[in-house]
Amino acid sequence: MEQLTIADRSFSSRLMVGTGKYSTPQIMIDAIRASGAEMVTVAVRRVDISNPERDAILCTISPEEFTLLPNTAGCYSAEEAIRFARLGRAASMSEWVKLEVIGDQETLLPDTEGLLEATKVLVDEGFVVLAYTNDDLVTALRLEDAGAAAVMPLASPIGSGLGLLNPLNIGLIKARLTVPVIVDAGVGTASDACATMEQGVDGILMNTALAEAKDPVQMATAMRLAVDAGRFAYLSGRMAKREWAVPSSPLQGIPG
Amino acid sequence: MAHPIDIQLNGELCHVAMGTSMVMLLRQLELDERSVVVELNRKIIRRTEMESLFLKKGDSIELVHFVGGG
């Protein structure tokens, strides 16, 4: 399969995964390896001073093995997100950031105004911005204009597992943007991932679907296959839908 | 502690001796400066600056690192 290129980096895998909410570090690393993902997201948080190694993700995830993508999760304003992006850059020594500006605590839906503002500032500072947004075409176009390296519309709210709620909007965004479109959030199971990739998007980022599966490692395998299956199906060009049946076997030569 | 000064460390009030540098603080906390990012009064501090940076009363320090996230 052709590589996915974002900014100046190319990836063999079109699946990116988060590192949150796993029951143990071992299950996390096994699941991430099974997923085939090359890029993983991480969050910036305070060190627990009484136990500095607690929660330290770099004890489990090696930056030599995976490309780290720091996120700005938990930020509710452009200013906060910019601050978190800079902290992430200092910790990862890379300009890549998954930019989130959340607008509502209940739904975790994005504050698109704050997101655009933060994107402009960070792009000016040399960041490679992957912008988490809703499934709105106009916002996606504005993020691209603002210099986002990739636009990441949601399939459904973060952690909901509701799957692809608006395939039409996701397809529209993909059709109109030049930069890669990575669907981020909401994928719950393999069929969701496959259906999402069938819209022609460039990749998927997921976390909870793996971390909260009963068997995260097996689900990671399922997701890897589903992302590939959806991509191959999209590239193949599906048959036209009809509202009537057409037999697949010859009508002639049926024994009397 | 001789001449303790009050600082905020990850949101908690904390006392350090006057003349404590950022490097000394990290050593006292047994933190490896390569594994944490230090923010002093909302400004990220480079490792090379830490030796000569002495803490002042009222300084607000955030020590952060990467944790799991989506």
Side-chain angles (χ1 to χ4, degrees):
Chain A
M1 196 183 293
E2 84 283 19
Q3 295 227 312
L4 162 65
T5 301
I6 305 172
D8 60 346
R9 283 195 213 169
S10 293
F11 302 90
S12 301
S13 170
R14 291 174 178 273
L15 176 55
M16 283 139 261
V17 298
T19 55
K21 300 195 284 192
Y22 283 91
S23 54
T24 70
Q26 191 60 50
I27 289 174
M28 173 180 72
I29 190 71
D30 289 348
I32 293 174
R33 287 186 179 134
S35 78
E38 294 157 277
M39 184 153 62
V40 303
T41 57
V42 291
V44 176
R45 290 293 181 271
R46 282 175 170 163
V47 175
D48 179 348
I49 288 163
S50 58
N51 188 1
E53 295 209 348
R54 191 175 154 252
D55 301 330
I57 197 77
L58 296 185
C59 295
T60 312
I61 299 284
S62 155
E64 279 98 58
E65 185 177 355
F66 300 101
T67 299
L68 297 183
L69 182 63
N71 69 24
T72 63
C75 294
Y76 282 81
S77 69
E79 191 189 0
E80 267 186 290
I82 291 164
R83 177 182 173 216
F84 275 52
R86 290 173 182 155
L87 290 168
R89 176 171 62 182
S92 68
M93 317 289 258
S94 137
E95 329 301 316
W96 286 52
V97 62
K98 182 190 136 181
L99 185 63
E100 292 181 39
V101 183
I102 301 302
D104 176 61
Q105 246 167 345
E106 294 239 336
T107 60
L108 299 179
L109 288 171
D111 170 352
T112 54
E113 205 180 314
L115 180 68
L116 263 167
E117 189 187 331
T119 299
K120 287 175 192 160
V121 171
L122 293 171
V123 167
D124 273 351
E125 290 184 16
F127 278 88
V128 175
V129 175
L130 287 71
Y132 165 70
T133 184
N134 59 23
D135 58 6
D136 172 58
L137 173 66
V138 176
T139 306
L141 287 167
R142 287 180 184 163
L143 288 165
E144 181 175 78
D145 284 346
V151 172
M152 308 180 95
L154 51 76
S156 47
I158 295 171
S160 70
L162 289 171
L164 183 60
L165 293 184
N166 200 329
L168 177 76
N169 275 11
I170 294 296
L172 266 177
I173 290 172
K174 176 55 204 168
R176 293 285 300 278
L177 265 64
T178 308
V179 297
V181 175
I182 312 291
V183 169
D184 177 13
V187 166
T189 187
S191 55
D192 299 336
C194 193
T196 300
M197 290 304 293
E198 285 176 13
Q199 302 305 313
V201 299
D202 300 279
I204 299 182
L205 171 55
M206 63 177 74
N207 189 154
T208 312
L210 303 185
E212 287 188 3
K214 285 205 179 73
D215 181 344
V217 182
Q218 191 156 232
M219 184 58 91
T221 304
M223 290 297 191
R224 173 172 58 78
L225 295 170
V227 166
D228 282 353
R231 181 68 184 168
F232 280 128
Y234 167 73
L235 293 173
S236 307
R238 59 153 297 145
M239 63 165 283
K241 290 184 184 179
R242 306 182 177 96
E243 288 181 4
W244 60 92
V246 178
S248 304
S249 306
L251 294 176
Q252 285 77 38
I254 294 175
Chain B
M1 196 185 290
H3 306 294
I5 53 172
D6 292 349
I7 60 165
Q8 289 280 327
L9 183 60
N10 281 2
E12 305 271 341
L13 183 66
C14 185
H15 312 288
V16 294
M18 196 180 281
T20 302
S21 72
M22 193 64 85
V23 164
M24 288 159 73
L25 176 72
L26 293 181
R27 276 189 206 134
Q28 281 167 25
L29 297 168
E30 296 178 18
L31 290 175
D32 181 347
E33 65 238 44
R34 289 166 301 182
S35 66
V36 296
V37 172
V38 179
E39 197 191 52
L40 172 66
N41 303 327
R42 297 280 172 131
K43 183 177 171 285
I44 294 168
I45 304 301
R46 291 199 199 96
R47 283 206 278 276
T48 51
E49 300 173 85
M50 289 182 193
E51 197 92 44
S52 57
L53 202 158
F54 295 93
L55 303 182
K56 298 188 304 294
K57 183 174 184 291
D59 274 347
S60 176
I61 298 165
E62 293 284 344
L63 303 176
V64 304
H65 64 169
F66 284 140
V67 302

